Amino acid sequence: MAGKRPAPGSDGRPLSFIERKRREQLIEATIALVAEHGYAATSLARIAQAAGITKGAVLYHFPSKDAVVAAARTHVLDALVADVGAAVDAAPPGARPAAYVRRMVGYLTEHPDHARTLIEVLISGGRPDPAARREPFAALLQAAREARGLPPAADPRTPAVIAGGAIDAIVDARLQDPAYDSAAAAEALVTMLESTFLRT
């Protein structure tokens, strides 16, 4: 009996243009479905229906629901990291923590489907390593202190943890209430960081 055909790209060959576009379509459909209905209610059949193809066609590109959801999560994270990274890189070192806070809040409120997808994946057990988020921001805070001529902080992880929790809370408040002024909340967080951590 013949084995199952490997997913496109899994056998080492590059994806064709059509395969890349189909995968992108499936990822976008998955993001929209997870954001609207949650992880548990997003099935392969539902993904197929949203993409206008058969369930078998979905399985040609991804071996399981978890695989397509993982690809959607990676897509969302890559887009978030690229966007926030560009904003941080464009700022001078002393202003990079503020750029990070503003852009994290800005991106996630501008892309609520991405924010909801990340939340759903976390709830369903896809928790990333917290240090992967905390440590880069702690390094930005330390570099900002250095750029301002301040001595190194004993442990910049604490303000990084506090800021990460505040960003999550701001984005969640905006998701719950679209009238909530998340930009003003981001500015309040920047002011708090400036007054408590980035001054003598």
Side-chain angles (χ1 to χ4, degrees):
M1 185 171 158
K4 183 179 174 185
R5 180 176 176 173
S10 66
D11 56 1
R13 69 175 176 81
L15 296 174
S16 71
F17 174 80
I18 292 171
E19 288 169 336
R20 280 196 316 274
K21 289 298 178 190
R22 178 63 77 192
R23 285 172 69 91
E24 290 170 13
Q25 178 190 21
L26 290 169
I27 287 168
E28 290 299 332
T30 302
I31 290 168
L33 287 168
V34 169
E36 183 178 355
H37 302 290
Y39 172 82
T42 299
S43 64
L44 283 174
R46 207 169 209 172
I47 293 167
Q49 183 180 21
I53 61 174
T54 65
K55 182 178 170 182
V58 176
L59 290 170
Y60 171 78
H61 293 278
F62 295 98
S64 66
K65 170 188 164 178
D66 285 345
V68 70
V69 170
R73 176 184 173 272
T74 297
H75 173 82
V76 167
L77 284 175
D78 287 350
L80 173 64
V81 168
D83 187 273
V84 174
V88 167
D89 290 345
R96 286 179 176 171
Y100 175 92
V101 168
R102 290 179 180 124
R103 201 56 218 136
M104 279 288 286
V105 171
Y107 183 89
L108 291 170
T109 56
E110 292 162 15
H111 300 89
D113 281 1
H114 286 198
R116 288 188 178 99
T117 297
L118 290 174
I119 292 166
E120 280 295 321
V121 170
L122 290 175
I123 289 169
S124 68
R127 182 176 165 81
D129 176 11
R133 178 176 173 194
R134 179 185 64 235
E135 297 301 332
F137 189 57
L140 285 179
L141 289 167
Q142 200 74 292
R145 287 182 63 85
E146 182 180 331
R148 295 172 184 212
L150 300 172
D155 189 355
R157 292 176 299 176
T158 298
V161 168
I162 292 167
I167 289 167
D168 292 347
I170 291 166
V171 172
D172 183 59
R174 177 61 180 261
L175 290 173
Q176 301 303 319
D177 177 9
Y180 178 71
D181 191 346
S182 56
E187 288 307 314
L189 177 55
V190 167
T191 299
M192 184 191 76
L193 285 170
E194 289 282 342
S195 63
T196 61
F197 189 75
L198 294 173
R199 288 191 184 148
T200 51

